[in-house]
């Protein structure tokens, strides 16, 4: 996986010191395809991409704050003196977060997979009463979600999937904020327990079943499809999503895979050079999109 190399410049460090009274050279933390994260003492400074506006980041941060007030594992950004959570430096949105000690969980371990499902259920419960205004910019995952054929993935055109998505959402009116990118790389574990949910850049308002299916794929117990164990553990923990039959789980996963395809080619157009592992992963995911067709 290719991670961004955005530096923590002197201008950014000066702005962080002025805004949050946080200083230091900064240690680059592992991960981040779009935003780079640096540890400064007991804080994390996130340097976002130049194309992401402050209003979009503030909207996402407000939802993180709502979750953090109700869920200890949800990590929210620190406000500045004026209440804002973003400053723009050199055209990039900069935010400051508390540092949480931990490492990425291993979804191959059944106990951590179940813990991930239970945490997602609690997260959805925490967000169920949140009623934000419209997202300033639609999230990437929203394209094609309601049956409109996505224009950025013509090679995976599937009118049957589009019609199914439109019908599914007409029959599932429950909507509330979702994390938007709930996978192991956006959570942290310590001493066998999940202790943090991070990175709220992709949050959006949608049907919780959409995120449950996507998470079941990401936390899956094999490489050929979503984890039914994850779905069952989520429902046992009282998550807000309704039941998912075989077809619903497959079709919602296929929506996610089609968005992954679009993101891969968006990255290529922006100049990202994928290595052999990235290309193989992309091929497998495209094959899975076709294989899961009901």
């Amino acid at each position: 996986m290719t991670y961004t190399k955005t530096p923590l410049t002197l201008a950014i460090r000066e702005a962080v010191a002025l805004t949050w009274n946080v200083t230091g050279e900064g240690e680059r933390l592992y991960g981040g395809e779009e935003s780079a994260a640096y540890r400064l003492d007991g804080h994390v400074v996130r340097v976002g991409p130049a194309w992401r506006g402050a209003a979009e980041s503030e909207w996402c941060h407000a939802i993180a704050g709502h979750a953090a007030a109700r869920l200890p594992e949800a990590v929210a950004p620190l406000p500045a003196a004026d209440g804002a959570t973003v400053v723009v430096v050199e055209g990039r949105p900069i935010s400051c977060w508390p540092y949480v000690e931990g490492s990425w969980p291993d979804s191959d371990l059944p106990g951590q997979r179940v813990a991930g499902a239970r945490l997602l259920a609690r997260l959805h419960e925490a967000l169920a009463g949140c009623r934000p205004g419209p997202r300033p910019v639609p999230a990437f995952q929203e394209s094609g979600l309601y049956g409109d054929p996505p224009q950025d993935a013509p090679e995976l055109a599937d009118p049957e999937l589009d019609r199914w998505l439109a019908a599914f959402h007409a029959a599932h009116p429950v909507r509330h904020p979702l994390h938007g990118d709930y996978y192991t790389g956006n959570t942290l574990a310590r001493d066998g327990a999940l202790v943090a949910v991070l990175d709220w850049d992709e949050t959006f308002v949608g049907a919780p079943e959409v995120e449950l299916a996507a998470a079941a794929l990401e936390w899956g117990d094999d490489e050929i499809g979503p984890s039914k164990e994850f779905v069952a553990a989520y429902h046992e923990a009282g998550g807000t999503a309704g039941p998912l039959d075989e077809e619903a789980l497959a079709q919602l996963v296929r929506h996610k895979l089609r968005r992954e395809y679009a993101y891969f080619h968006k990255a290529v157009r922006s100049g990202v050079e994928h290595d052999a592992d990235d290309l193989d992963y992309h091929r497998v995911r495209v094959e899975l999109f076709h294989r899961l067709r009901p």
Side-chain angles (χ1 to χ4, degrees):
M1 183 176 292
T2 303
Y3 296 122
T4 184
K5 299 179 180 178
T6 308
L8 185 70
T9 65
L10 175 60
I12 294 173
R13 286 190 280 115
E14 290 177 342
V16 168
L18 180 64
T19 306
W20 291 285
N21 195 31
V22 172
T23 60
E25 293 297 318
E27 170 197 355
R28 178 69 160 91
L29 298 177
Y30 184 74
E33 294 178 66
E34 295 178 348
S35 297
Y38 292 86
R39 180 182 181 183
L40 281 74
D41 194 16
H43 302 82
V44 173
V45 172
R46 299 189 77 238
V47 183
W51 49 262
R52 178 171 292 133
E56 180 182 0
S57 294
E58 291 280 7
W59 189 91
C60 295
H61 293 174
I63 291 174
H66 181 97
R70 295 157 178 82
L71 184 71
E73 295 90 344
V75 181
L78 303 175
D82 62 359
T85 59
V86 175
V87 294
V88 177
V89 183
E90 300 174 330
R92 296 179 179 276
I94 311 300
S95 54
C96 185
W97 306 67
Y99 175 77
V100 179
E101 187 70 42
S103 58
W104 290 354
D106 185 353
S107 61
D108 287 336
L109 299 177
Q112 297 212 343
R113 188 164 57 246
V114 169
R118 291 172 177 166
L119 178 56
L120 180 62
R122 293 171 52 230
L123 177 59
H124 283 178
E125 287 184 287
L127 292 173
C130 182
R131 297 291 182 268
R135 198 181 197 277
V137 178
F140 194 77
Q141 293 297 324
E142 292 183 90
S143 180
L145 182 57
Y146 299 102
D148 51 316
Q151 301 303 307
D152 53 2
E155 298 84 356
L156 298 188
D158 190 331
E160 286 296 324
L161 173 59
D162 299 332
R163 285 190 286 270
W164 186 92
L165 287 167
F168 176 86
H169 283 95
H172 293 77
V174 174
R175 304 282 189 276
H176 63 66
L178 310 173
H179 180 273
D181 195 16
Y182 188 82
Y183 81 111
T184 54
N186 282 334
T187 62
L188 293 175
R190 187 173 63 245
D191 298 327
L194 296 186
V195 295
V197 180
L198 313 166
D199 189 353
W200 296 80
D201 291 342
E202 298 303 321
T203 188
F204 67 97
V205 175
E209 293 84 4
V210 172
E211 181 150 83
L212 173 57
L217 174 66
E218 294 299 339
W219 294 73
D221 49 7
D222 54 44
E223 297 181 354
I224 62 171
S227 169
K228 295 178 182 178
E229 179 188 29
F230 186 96
V231 174
Y234 170 93
H235 283 130
E236 288 170 2
T240 59
L244 291 175
D245 61 21
E246 292 271 358
E247 180 182 22
L249 184 57
Q251 292 287 50
L252 291 174
V253 164
R254 294 181 73 232
H255 164 73
K256 174 178 171 52
L257 292 169
R258 188 159 63 173
R259 297 315 299 144
E260 283 188 6
Y261 177 93
Y263 189 86
F264 177 91
H265 287 280
K266 174 187 175 183
V268 170
R269 291 192 298 271
S270 70
V272 171
E273 296 183 5
H274 295 99
D275 62 22
D277 288 341
D278 293 333
L279 295 173
D280 186 59
Y281 180 84
H282 176 66
R283 177 187 57 78
V284 169
R285 301 290 263 199
V286 172
E287 290 176 354
L288 182 59
F289 172 84
H290 295 295
R291 191 183 313 132
L292 287 177
R293 178 181 286 112

